[in-house]
Amino acid sequence: GTANMTCRVEYNDQTSLQWSNPAQQTLFFGDKKALRDNRIELVRATWAELTISISDISLSDEGQYTCSLFTMPVKTTKAFLTVLGVPERPEITGFTKPAMEGDEITLICTTSGSKPAAHIRWFRNDKEVTGTKEVNATGKSFTVKSTLQLQVDQSDDGVAYTCSVEHVSLSSNPYQVTEVLEVHYAPHVEISHSVIIPQEGQYFKLECVSKGNPLPEPVLWSKDGGELPDIERMIVEGRELTITALNKTDNGTYRCEASNYLGTSGAEYVLFVYDPNAPGQQDPDHALIGGVVAVVVFITLCLIIALGRYLARHKGTYLTHEAKGSEDAPDADTAIINAEGNHAAEEKKEYFI
């Protein structure tokens, strides 16, 4: 950067002005350059004003500058020049690709040359995470280091960790550097199928969905522990096994396996082919509807039985109260009231089955 410093005086007589640096070296005396420093230029020089410019400012230029007015006695004024140390662009170290699942890894982000000390933030993709900060003074500037320690798994594969350096000299444009993790892990295999209830004559597809890093290829298909029996109808393309026209001979256990250098994983699917015309095999939709109807009928019967028992109990209570108060009562309502009034004197127990 560049710094301009101006010294002005209000005086009736012509006088001489002088700028001195923090080391008390004379920079300019009037319009005469005293120090051989090409970075220092005279901007304006009169008997009442002396303005100088310092380009390519460095931290060593920071300090107190003195403007002297040569009168009797000599008068001086001082200006303090503060220099901001711009941080260097950060770098991430400490991580060697690839990591193995379960490894503990360390990411270290370092930036130097800042004054005051820079602030470092970490982000896992777009979410901020917390690191351990360390600040060391190096001369007039600071070296800042932030450390992240992680135990990685397969969810960290392909995750971007970004180190962001913020400093007053950078305004709202922080320096950033990103490291994308590569994590190797053993395969995991699942089988997906194209039809829920396979029937004779249908086109049927199984897909071996495998995850792993390195990507496990190729996948191997087998049936009942052996090779696929009908390679004309059973077509393997990549991770997919397609049976062009199902029949009863296709029933059995199908298995796919996938491997990388960290291990092998397998999954199985039991295929049962339905005959839609066979009398003993219900259409799956009809079976589902029948099951729902059966549940509704069962719940309705339970409600009817419960309601019947409830009404029977309350009818019996009514008759019992009527009998207990009927001797002195002209009607049934009065009998029940009389029975409740006499309850403390005589308790009658009723049992209902």
Side-chain angles (χ1 to χ4, degrees):
T2 301
N4 290 332
M5 289 180 287
T6 301
C7 182
R8 292 189 181 93
V9 298
E10 293 183 2
Y11 201 70
N12 294 330
D13 235 345
Q14 291 190 358
T15 55
S16 296
L17 293 172
Q18 172 184 301
W19 271 112
S20 302
N21 66 10
Q24 299 302 312
Q25 296 171 310
T26 299
L27 303 179
F28 271 93
F29 183 79
D31 60 355
K32 305 299 183 183
K33 188 172 183 178
L35 189 66
R36 295 183 179 276
D37 190 335
N38 293 330
R39 299 179 305 120
I40 303 173
E41 299 291 339
L42 181 64
V43 176
R44 181 176 175 82
T46 67
W47 65 269
E49 179 180 320
L50 185 63
T51 301
I52 62 173
S53 172
I54 306 175
S55 59
D56 296 329
I57 287 285
S58 65
L59 292 176
S60 62
D61 294 317
E62 182 173 274
Q64 185 169 267
Y65 288 75
T66 303
C67 176
S68 301
L69 174 64
F70 288 90
T71 60
M72 291 299 292
V74 176
K75 296 180 180 180
T76 61
T77 186
K78 300 180 185 296
F80 194 91
L81 177 63
T82 300
V83 180
L84 297 177
V86 181
E88 295 179 3
R89 291 191 175 274
E91 60 177 0
I92 296 177
T93 58
F95 173 62
T96 303
K97 294 182 180 181
M100 302 296 129
E101 185 173 28
D103 282 357
E104 295 234 356
I105 68 169
T106 301
L107 299 178
I108 303 171
C109 181
T110 306
T111 180
S112 58
S114 60
K115 177 181 172 295
H119 178 58
I120 292 179
R121 300 169 68 190
W122 283 100
F123 294 88
R124 184 185 190 272
N125 290 335
D126 295 325
K127 183 178 180 181
E128 186 168 2
V129 293
T130 303
T132 302
K133 185 178 179 180
E134 179 183 338
V135 180
N136 295 305
T138 308
K140 291 187 176 183
S141 64
F142 296 91
T143 297
V144 184
K145 180 189 299 183
S146 183
T147 303
L148 272 183
Q149 290 188 322
L150 313 165
Q151 184 170 18
V152 296
D153 57 28
Q154 58 183 273
S155 66
D156 290 302
D157 185 40
V159 170
Y161 279 87
T162 299
C163 169
S164 177
V165 174
E166 299 175 351
H167 192 261
V168 62
S169 65
L170 301 178
S171 185
S172 58
N173 299 306
Y175 289 155
Q176 292 186 337
V177 61
T178 299
E179 182 75 44
V180 179
L181 300 190
E182 181 181 355
V183 180
H184 283 190
Y185 55 95
H188 175 72
V189 170
E190 295 178 354
I191 295 178
S192 64
H193 45 89
S194 60
V195 179
I196 298 176
I197 306 296
Q199 299 181 12
E200 282 190 301
Q202 283 184 332
Y203 180 92
F204 186 68
K205 181 184 292 183
L206 295 175
E207 182 179 0
C208 187
V209 182
S210 60
K211 296 180 180 179
N213 191 14
L215 187 65
E217 287 183 331
V219 298
L220 302 176
W221 286 98
S222 62
K223 179 190 176 188
D224 296 329
E227 296 182 355
L228 298 177
D230 190 345
I231 59 174
E232 292 185 358
R233 287 189 311 110
M234 298 180 178
I235 303 169
V236 176
E237 293 181 343
R239 301 175 181 277
E240 295 179 349
L241 168 61
T242 302
I243 304 176
T244 55
L246 288 174
N247 61 53
K248 288 290 186 178
T249 63
D250 297 324
N251 289 344
T253 300
Y254 291 80
R255 179 178 177 83
C256 78
E257 289 187 352
S259 302
N260 63 19
Y261 76 96
L262 292 172
T264 301
S265 177
E268 293 183 344
Y269 175 81
V270 178
L271 174 62
F272 181 82
V273 180
Y274 288 83
D275 181 358
N277 300 318
Q281 295 184 2
Q282 276 191 321
D283 185 273
D285 293 336
H286 292 170
L288 178 62
I289 295 171
V292 173
V293 172
V295 171
V296 172
V297 171
F298 176 75
I299 293 174
T300 303
L301 289 175
C302 290
L303 291 174
I304 292 173
I305 293 171
L307 181 61
R309 291 177 61 85
Y310 174 81
L311 294 175
R313 284 182 64 89
H314 282 267
K315 182 178 180 183
T317 303
Y318 178 86
L319 294 175
T320 300
H321 282 283
E322 183 181 357
K324 291 171 65 177
S326 61
E327 296 177 357
D328 303 321
D331 52 41
D333 292 337
T334 307
I336 292 174
I337 296 172
N338 291 343
E340 291 176 349
N342 297 330
H343 182 67
E346 179 183 355
E347 180 179 353
K348 178 181 284 187
K349 298 181 178 179
E350 296 292 334
Y351 299 89
F352 301 95
I353 299 176

Coordinates of all heavy atoms in Angstrom, one line a residue, residues 278-328:
A278 N -53.6 -70.3 -12.0 CA -53.7 -71.4 -11.0 C -54.8 -71.1 -10.0 O -54.9 -70.0 -9.5 CB -52.4 -71.7 -10.3
P279 N -55.8 -72.1 -9.8 CA -56.9 -71.9 -8.9 C -56.5 -71.6 -7.4 O -57.1 -71.0 -6.6 CB -57.8 -73.1 -9.0 CG -56.8 -74.2 -9.5 CD -55.9 -73.5 -10.4
G280 N -55.4 -72.2 -7.0 CA -54.9 -72.1 -5.6 C -54.2 -70.8 -5.3 O -53.8 -70.6 -4.2
Q281 N -53.9 -70.0 -6.3 CA -53.1 -68.8 -6.1 C -54.0 -67.6 -6.4 O -54.4 -67.3 -7.5 CB -51.9 -68.8 -7.0 CG -50.9 -69.9 -6.7 CD -49.7 -69.8 -7.6 OE1 -49.5 -68.9 -8.4 NE2 -48.8 -70.7 -7.5
Q282 N -54.3 -66.9 -5.3 CA -55.1 -65.7 -5.5 C -54.3 -64.5 -6.1 O -53.1 -64.4 -5.9 CB -55.6 -65.2 -4.1 CG -56.8 -65.9 -3.6 CD -57.3 -65.2 -2.4 OE1 -56.6 -64.8 -1.5 NE2 -58.6 -65.1 -2.3
D283 N -55.0 -63.7 -6.8 CA -54.4 -62.5 -7.3 C -54.0 -61.6 -6.1 O -54.8 -61.5 -5.1 CB -55.4 -61.7 -8.1 CG -54.7 -60.5 -8.7 OD1 -54.8 -59.4 -8.0 OD2 -54.2 -60.6 -9.9
P284 N -52.8 -61.1 -6.0 CA -52.3 -60.4 -4.8 C -53.2 -59.2 -4.5 O -53.4 -58.9 -3.3 CB -50.9 -59.9 -5.2 CG -50.9 -60.0 -6.7 CD -51.8 -61.2 -7.1
D285 N -53.8 -58.5 -5.5 CA -54.7 -57.4 -5.1 C -56.0 -57.9 -4.4 O -56.4 -57.3 -3.5 CB -55.1 -56.7 -6.4 CG -53.8 -56.0 -7.0 OD1 -52.9 -55.7 -6.3 OD2 -53.8 -55.7 -8.2
H286 N -56.5 -59.0 -4.9 CA -57.7 -59.6 -4.3 C -57.4 -60.0 -2.9 O -58.2 -59.9 -2.0 CB -58.3 -60.7 -5.1 CG -58.8 -60.3 -6.4 ND1 -59.2 -61.2 -7.4 CD2 -59.1 -59.0 -6.9 CE1 -59.6 -60.5 -8.5 NE2 -59.5 -59.2 -8.2
A287 N -56.3 -60.6 -2.7 CA -55.9 -61.1 -1.3 C -55.8 -59.9 -0.4 O -56.2 -59.9 0.8 CB -54.6 -61.8 -1.4
L288 N -55.2 -58.8 -0.8 CA -55.1 -57.6 0.0 C -56.4 -57.0 0.4 O -56.7 -56.7 1.5 CB -54.2 -56.6 -0.7 CG -54.0 -55.2 0.0 CD1 -53.3 -55.5 1.3 CD2 -53.3 -54.3 -0.9
I289 N -57.3 -57.0 -0.6 CA -58.7 -56.5 -0.4 C -59.4 -57.4 0.6 O -60.1 -56.9 1.6 CB -59.5 -56.3 -1.7 CG1 -58.8 -55.3 -2.6 CG2 -60.9 -56.0 -1.4 CD1 -59.4 -55.2 -4.0
G290 N -59.3 -58.7 0.5 CA -59.9 -59.6 1.4 C -59.4 -59.5 2.8 O -60.2 -59.6 3.7
G291 N -58.1 -59.2 2.9 CA -57.6 -59.1 4.3 C -58.1 -57.8 5.0 O -58.4 -57.8 6.1
V292 N -58.2 -56.7 4.2 CA -58.8 -55.5 4.7 C -60.2 -55.7 5.2 O -60.6 -55.2 6.3 CB -58.7 -54.3 3.7 CG1 -59.4 -53.1 4.2 CG2 -57.2 -54.0 3.4
V293 N -61.0 -56.4 4.3 CA -62.4 -56.6 4.7 C -62.6 -57.4 5.9 O -63.4 -57.2 6.8 CB -63.2 -57.3 3.5 CG1 -64.6 -57.7 3.9 CG2 -63.2 -56.3 2.3
A294 N -61.7 -58.5 6.1 CA -61.8 -59.3 7.3 C -61.5 -58.5 8.5 O -62.1 -58.7 9.6 CB -60.8 -60.5 7.1
V295 N -60.5 -57.6 8.5 CA -60.2 -56.8 9.6 C -61.3 -55.9 10.0 O -61.7 -55.7 11.2 CB -58.9 -56.0 9.4 CG1 -58.7 -54.9 10.5 CG2 -57.7 -56.9 9.2
V296 N -62.0 -55.3 9.0 CA -63.1 -54.4 9.3 C -64.3 -55.2 9.9 O -64.9 -54.7 10.9 CB -63.6 -53.7 8.0 CG1 -64.9 -52.9 8.2 CG2 -62.5 -52.8 7.5
V297 N -64.6 -56.4 9.4 CA -65.6 -57.2 10.0 C -65.3 -57.6 11.4 O -66.2 -57.5 12.3 CB -65.9 -58.5 9.1 CG1 -66.8 -59.4 9.8 CG2 -66.4 -58.1 7.8
F298 N -64.1 -57.9 11.7 CA -63.7 -58.3 13.1 C -63.9 -57.2 14.0 O -64.4 -57.3 15.1 CB -62.2 -58.8 13.1 CG -61.7 -59.1 14.4 CD1 -62.1 -60.3 15.1 CD2 -60.9 -58.2 15.1 CE1 -61.6 -60.6 16.3 CE2 -60.4 -58.5 16.3 CZ -60.7 -59.7 17.0
I299 N -63.4 -56.0 13.6 CA -63.6 -54.8 14.5 C -65.0 -54.5 14.8 O -65.4 -54.1 15.9 CB -62.8 -53.6 13.9 CG1 -61.3 -53.9 13.9 CG2 -63.1 -52.3 14.6 CD1 -60.5 -52.8 13.1
T300 N -65.9 -54.6 13.7 CA -67.3 -54.3 13.9 C -68.0 -55.3 14.9 O -68.8 -54.9 15.7 CB -68.0 -54.4 12.5 OG1 -67.4 -53.5 11.6 CG2 -69.5 -54.1 12.6
L301 N -67.6 -56.6 14.8 CA -68.2 -57.6 15.7 C -67.8 -57.3 17.2 O -68.6 -57.4 18.1 CB -67.7 -59.0 15.3 CG -68.4 -59.5 14.0 CD1 -67.7 -60.9 13.7 CD2 -69.9 -59.7 14.2
C302 N -66.5 -56.9 17.3 CA -66.0 -56.5 18.7 C -66.8 -55.4 19.3 O -67.2 -55.4 20.4 CB -64.6 -56.2 18.6 SG -63.5 -57.7 18.3
L303 N -67.1 -54.4 18.4 CA -67.9 -53.2 18.9 C -69.3 -53.6 19.3 O -69.8 -53.1 20.3 CB -67.9 -52.1 17.8 CG -66.5 -51.4 17.6 CD1 -66.6 -50.5 16.4 CD2 -66.1 -50.7 18.8
I304 N -69.9 -54.5 18.5 CA -71.3 -54.9 18.8 C -71.4 -55.6 20.1 O -72.3 -55.4 20.9 CB -71.8 -55.8 17.6 CG1 -72.0 -54.9 16.3 CG2 -73.2 -56.4 18.0 CD1 -72.4 -55.6 15.1
I305 N -70.4 -56.6 20.3 CA -70.4 -57.3 21.6 C -70.2 -56.4 22.8 O -70.9 -56.5 23.8 CB -69.3 -58.4 21.5 CG1 -69.6 -59.4 20.4 CG2 -69.1 -59.1 22.9 CD1 -68.5 -60.4 20.1
A306 N -69.3 -55.5 22.6 CA -69.0 -54.5 23.8 C -70.2 -53.7 24.1 O -70.6 -53.5 25.2 CB -67.8 -53.7 23.4
L307 N -70.9 -53.2 23.0 CA -72.1 -52.4 23.2 C -73.2 -53.2 23.9 O -73.9 -52.7 24.8 CB -72.6 -51.8 21.9 CG -73.8 -50.9 21.9 CD1 -73.6 -49.7 22.8 CD2 -74.2 -50.5 20.5
G308 N -73.4 -54.5 23.5 CA -74.4 -55.3 24.1 C -74.1 -55.6 25.6 O -75.1 -55.5 26.4
R309 N -72.9 -55.8 25.9 CA -72.6 -56.0 27.3 C -72.8 -54.7 28.1 O -73.3 -54.8 29.3 CB -71.1 -56.5 27.5 CG -70.9 -57.9 26.9 CD -69.4 -58.3 27.0 NE -69.0 -58.3 28.4 CZ -69.1 -59.3 29.3 NH1 -69.7 -60.4 28.9 NH2 -68.7 -59.2 30.5
Y310 N -72.5 -53.6 27.6 CA -72.7 -52.3 28.2 C -74.2 -52.1 28.5 O -74.6 -51.7 29.6 CB -72.1 -51.2 27.4 CG -72.4 -49.8 27.9 CD1 -71.6 -49.3 28.9 CD2 -73.4 -49.0 27.4 CE1 -71.8 -48.0 29.4 CE2 -73.7 -47.8 27.9 CZ -72.9 -47.3 28.9 OH -73.1 -46.0 29.4
L311 N -75.0 -52.3 27.5 CA -76.5 -52.1 27.7 C -77.0 -53.1 28.7 O -77.9 -52.8 29.5 CB -77.2 -52.3 26.4 CG -76.9 -51.2 25.3 CD1 -77.6 -51.5 24.0 CD2 -77.3 -49.8 25.8
A312 N -76.6 -54.4 28.7 CA -77.1 -55.4 29.6 C -76.7 -55.0 31.1 O -77.6 -55.1 32.0 CB -76.5 -56.7 29.3
R313 N -75.5 -54.5 31.3 CA -75.1 -54.1 32.7 C -76.0 -52.9 33.2 O -76.5 -52.9 34.3 CB -73.7 -53.6 32.7 CG -72.7 -54.8 32.6 CD -71.3 -54.2 32.7 NE -71.0 -53.6 34.0 CZ -70.5 -54.2 35.0 NH1 -70.3 -55.5 35.0 NH2 -70.3 -53.5 36.2
H314 N -76.2 -51.9 32.3 CA -77.0 -50.8 32.8 C -78.5 -51.1 32.9 O -79.2 -50.6 33.8 CB -76.9 -49.6 31.8 CG -75.6 -48.9 32.0 ND1 -75.5 -47.8 32.8 CD2 -74.3 -49.2 31.6 CE1 -74.2 -47.4 32.8 NE2 -73.5 -48.2 32.1
K315 N -79.0 -52.1 32.2 CA -80.4 -52.5 32.3 C -80.6 -53.3 33.7 O -81.5 -53.1 34.4 CB -80.8 -53.5 31.2 CG -82.3 -53.9 31.3 CD -82.6 -54.8 30.1 CE -84.1 -55.3 30.2 NZ -84.5 -56.1 29.1
G316 N -79.6 -54.1 34.0 CA -79.6 -54.8 35.3 C -79.5 -53.9 36.4 O -80.2 -54.0 37.4
T317 N -78.7 -52.8 36.3 CA -78.6 -51.8 37.4 C -80.0 -51.1 37.6 O -80.4 -50.9 38.7 CB -77.6 -50.8 37.1 OG1 -76.3 -51.5 36.9 CG2 -77.4 -49.8 38.2
Y318 N -80.6 -50.8 36.5 CA -81.9 -50.2 36.6 C -82.9 -51.0 37.3 O -83.6 -50.6 38.2 CB -82.4 -49.8 35.2 CG -83.8 -49.2 35.1 CD1 -83.9 -47.8 35.2 CD2 -84.9 -49.9 34.9 CE1 -85.1 -47.2 35.2 CE2 -86.2 -49.3 34.9 CZ -86.3 -47.9 35.0 OH -87.5 -47.3 35.0
L319 N -83.0 -52.3 37.0 CA -84.0 -53.2 37.6 C -83.7 -53.4 39.1 O -84.6 -53.5 39.9 CB -84.0 -54.6 36.9 CG -84.5 -54.5 35.4 CD1 -84.3 -55.9 34.7 CD2 -86.0 -54.1 35.4
T320 N -82.4 -53.5 39.4 CA -82.1 -53.7 40.8 C -82.5 -52.6 41.6 O -83.0 -52.7 42.7 CB -80.5 -54.0 40.9 OG1 -80.2 -55.1 40.1 CG2 -80.1 -54.2 42.3
H321 N -82.2 -51.3 41.2 CA -82.6 -50.1 41.9 C -84.1 -50.0 42.0 O -84.6 -49.6 43.1 CB -82.0 -48.9 41.2 CG -80.5 -48.7 41.5 ND1 -80.1 -48.2 42.7 CD2 -79.4 -48.9 40.7 CE1 -78.8 -48.1 42.7 NE2 -78.4 -48.6 41.5
E322 N -84.8 -50.4 41.0 CA -86.2 -50.4 41.0 C -86.8 -51.3 42.1 O -87.7 -51.0 42.8 CB -86.8 -50.7 39.6 CG -88.3 -50.6 39.6 CD -88.9 -50.9 38.2 OE1 -88.1 -51.2 37.3 OE2 -90.1 -50.9 38.0
A323 N -86.2 -52.5 42.2 CA -86.7 -53.5 43.1 C -86.4 -53.1 44.5 O -87.3 -53.3 45.4 CB -86.0 -54.9 42.9
K324 N -85.3 -52.4 44.8 CA -85.0 -52.0 46.1 C -85.9 -50.9 46.6 O -86.1 -50.8 47.8 CB -83.5 -51.6 46.2 CG -82.5 -52.7 46.0 CD -81.1 -52.2 45.8 CE -80.6 -51.6 47.0 NZ -79.2 -51.1 46.9
G325 N -86.4 -50.1 45.8 CA -87.2 -49.0 46.2 C -88.7 -49.1 45.9 O -89.4 -48.2 46.1
S326 N -89.1 -50.3 45.4 CA -90.5 -50.4 44.9 C -91.5 -50.5 46.0 O -92.7 -50.3 45.8 CB -90.6 -51.6 43.9 OG -90.2 -52.8 44.7
E327 N -91.1 -50.9 47.2 CA -92.1 -51.2 48.3 C -92.9 -49.9 48.6 O -94.1 -49.9 48.9 CB -91.4 -51.7 49.5 CG -90.7 -53.1 49.2 CD -90.0 -53.6 50.4 OE1 -89.9 -52.8 51.4 OE2 -89.4 -54.7 50.4
D328 N -92.2 -48.8 48.7 CA -92.8 -47.5 49.1 C -93.0 -46.5 48.0 O -93.3 -45.4 48.2 CB -92.0 -46.9 50.2 CG -91.8 -47.8 51.4 OD1 -92.8 -48.5 51.7 OD2 -90.7 -47.8 52.0

